[in-house]
Amino acid sequence: MQQLFRLRRFLDAPALPPKGEACELCGAELPARHGHVADVEQRRILCSCRPCYMLFTHPGAANGRFRSVPERVAQLPAAAVDGAGWERLEIPVGIAFFLRDSARKRIIAFYPSPAGATESGLPLETWTELEEAIPLLETLETDTEAVLVCRRREGVEAWIVPVDACYELVARIRTQWRGFDGGREAWQEIDAFLEGVRERAGSYA
Amino acid sequence: MSETADVDATVARIESLVEQLGEADPRVRQLAEEAIRLLMQLYGAGLARAIEILGREQALRLTEDKLVGSLLLLYGLHPVEASERIAAALRSVERRLAGHRVYVAGITEGVARIRVEVNGGPAPATLAGAIERAVAEAAPDLAGAEIEGLPQAATALVQIAPAKWLEV
């Protein structure tokens, strides 16, 4: 029983200061607000410091393995979106994002689910038609940007967003998603997220 | 007592695990220690509330249990003052002595000053050790004990190496 008091040293130790995040490319300490680099090969998003971020803004850097994730958020024009036939994209749960995958040379659709993002391929001709209707879609960066589409009773909204934003959304709703359509908590989370997207789109308009 | 052995073994196991984590990665050791600290704090806060709810009389009953008593000591929540706890422990030491008296003279800077009054025959050679053990058990929150009044020979036994060796 006498040894019990040895645990006192844990209680007496000073609290550990919270460690800031580190750049996943060079290890430098990161501020809370920092950029991301996509590892295209591993399909991972890496937190990065400004110098590393700048290194991979070039499309050909690191043989294309690492690509800096752009910061723009651009709302697609509502009229074009309404008329472009998003219903043909068959978004089953009202929210999805699409990205141009360089490895597989196709457009991939992601849907939220309790297990994370479920992905499915999209016929390329459907996408080509969409691009014709909405020229802004042609500016979509490969691997590092995504088109986020939200279809509600009120109508369809769509944005070009950084791909890390989509990962954030997936992470936020993974723990909340219930059943097929997600449930109320998941949609509260999605609404909060979309509010942030609208704000960022506004500041880029 | 098997319960006592379990507590000591658990503490040893915790320390060994933390040590192993430190060997793998010093940062991991820090994180583990922080997790232990937070968890212990949480339980300590709960224990403090429980003592508050029970009040002193009921809390005293808790101290009769060795494990609970030790936990209260660990968290500095024991309702009995260190000097009183030591006095009680010394009384049981005294009962085994033929006429000698052992009592707390005071507590100075975290060290209990224990006075021995030798009556009649010589004090047993093991007395200093017995007192030190009793104080350590009753008041692990103190730094230790200083014994006054024992013949020099008895205290000299405690010394492990001549002081000169340590000065080199």
Side-chain angles (χ1 to χ4, degrees):
Chain A
M1 196 77 71
Q2 278 196 43
Q3 302 301 319
L4 187 66
F5 211 76
R6 295 173 66 97
L7 295 180
R8 188 70 220 179
R9 79 168 173 92
F10 292 109
L11 282 174
D12 292 339
L16 200 64
K19 190 178 185 278
E21 273 186 283
C23 172
E24 290 181 87
L25 290 151
C26 75
E29 211 165 294
L30 288 182
R33 219 188 120 94
H34 53 259
H36 292 108
V37 168
D39 179 341
V40 176
E41 247 170 55
Q42 304 278 323
R43 307 194 65 184
R44 278 199 320 143
I45 296 291
L46 309 172
C47 296
S48 87
C49 65
R50 198 67 197 161
C52 286
Y53 181 90
M54 294 310 290
L55 210 54
F56 300 112
T57 47
H58 257 290
N63 287 326
R65 177 174 170 184
F66 297 115
R67 298 279 313 279
S68 302
V69 177
E71 286 162 357
R72 74 162 169 170
V73 173
Q75 178 141 34
L76 301 183
V81 168
D82 277 343
W86 291 97
E87 62 275 9
R88 287 173 53 202
L89 296 178
E90 292 169 6
I91 303 169
V93 293
I95 188 156
F97 56 94
F98 300 86
L99 81 106
R100 209 193 294 271
D101 186 312
S102 66
R104 283 179 281 179
K105 295 189 173 55
R106 61 182 307 181
I107 300 290
I108 303 188
F110 291 90
Y111 310 105
S113 83
T118 305
E119 65 174 83
S120 70
L122 185 75
L124 212 52
E125 56 267 30
T126 310
W127 187 259
T128 312
E129 283 168 32
L130 282 172
E131 273 187 347
E132 276 164 17
I134 311 170
L136 193 57
L137 279 182
E138 286 176 41
T139 67
L140 182 73
E141 288 278 348
T142 305
D143 298 317
T144 57
E145 283 187 322
V147 176
L148 175 68
V149 182
C150 179
R151 194 177 56 187
R152 311 289 284 272
R153 242 170 276 143
E154 309 89 82
V156 182
E157 277 183 295
W159 301 265
I160 290 177
V161 296
V163 75
D164 52 5
C166 294
Y167 281 83
E168 186 201 323
L169 175 66
V170 168
R172 277 170 74 162
I173 60 183
R174 177 183 294 180
T175 52
Q176 308 278 355
W177 198 268
R178 302 281 179 271
F180 178 71
D181 68 345
R184 203 164 53 88
E185 277 88 10
W187 278 96
Q188 278 171 355
E189 199 67 50
I190 291 170
D191 283 336
F193 175 81
L194 291 180
E195 207 38 62
V197 168
R198 284 189 197 101
E199 228 165 75
R200 281 178 72 181
S203 65
Y204 273 87
Chain B
M1 199 181 182
S2 71
E3 185 192 70
T4 308
D6 282 352
V7 170
D8 288 352
T10 303
V11 172
R13 177 94 177 116
I14 290 170
E15 288 180 324
S16 149
L17 287 170
V18 169
E19 208 58 47
Q20 286 174 51
L21 287 171
E23 278 161 22
D25 182 346
R27 172 78 191 159
V28 170
R29 182 204 175 112
Q30 282 185 326
L31 296 177
E33 286 177 343
E34 177 74 351
I36 292 171
R37 186 182 70 82
L38 290 171
L39 199 57
M40 285 182 68
Q41 256 183 8
L42 191 63
Y43 279 83
L47 215 48
R49 286 288 296 128
I51 293 292
E52 205 182 305
I53 292 165
L54 283 176
R56 190 180 150 83
E57 284 308 305
Q58 295 295 318
L60 281 174
R61 280 196 54 216
L62 286 181
T63 64
E64 287 162 20
D65 182 90
K66 265 200 141 183
L67 177 59
V68 182
S70 296
L71 281 168
L72 294 177
L73 282 173
L74 175 61
Y75 284 104
L77 295 170
H78 204 286
V80 182
E81 288 291 320
S83 56
E84 258 183 76
R85 278 182 265 131
I86 296 171
L90 291 181
R91 276 196 289 280
S92 74
V93 171
E94 245 178 5
R95 275 198 287 278
R96 295 193 301 257
L97 298 169
H100 309 304
R101 282 208 60 212
V102 184
Y103 57 91
V104 191
I107 294 174
T108 315
E109 288 172 4
V111 176
R113 295 196 329 278
I114 311 299
R115 175 90 33 89
V116 179
E117 276 177 25
V118 181
N119 299 317
T126 53
L127 182 55
I131 291 171
E132 277 163 9
R133 270 196 307 279
V135 171
E137 201 170 312
D141 44 342
L142 293 186
E146 228 168 62
I147 304 164
E148 304 162 2
L150 269 186
Q152 274 310 323
T155 38
L157 287 176
V158 184
Q159 216 166 358
I160 293 166
K164 273 183 214 154
W165 293 6
L166 301 172
E167 283 164 16
V168 180

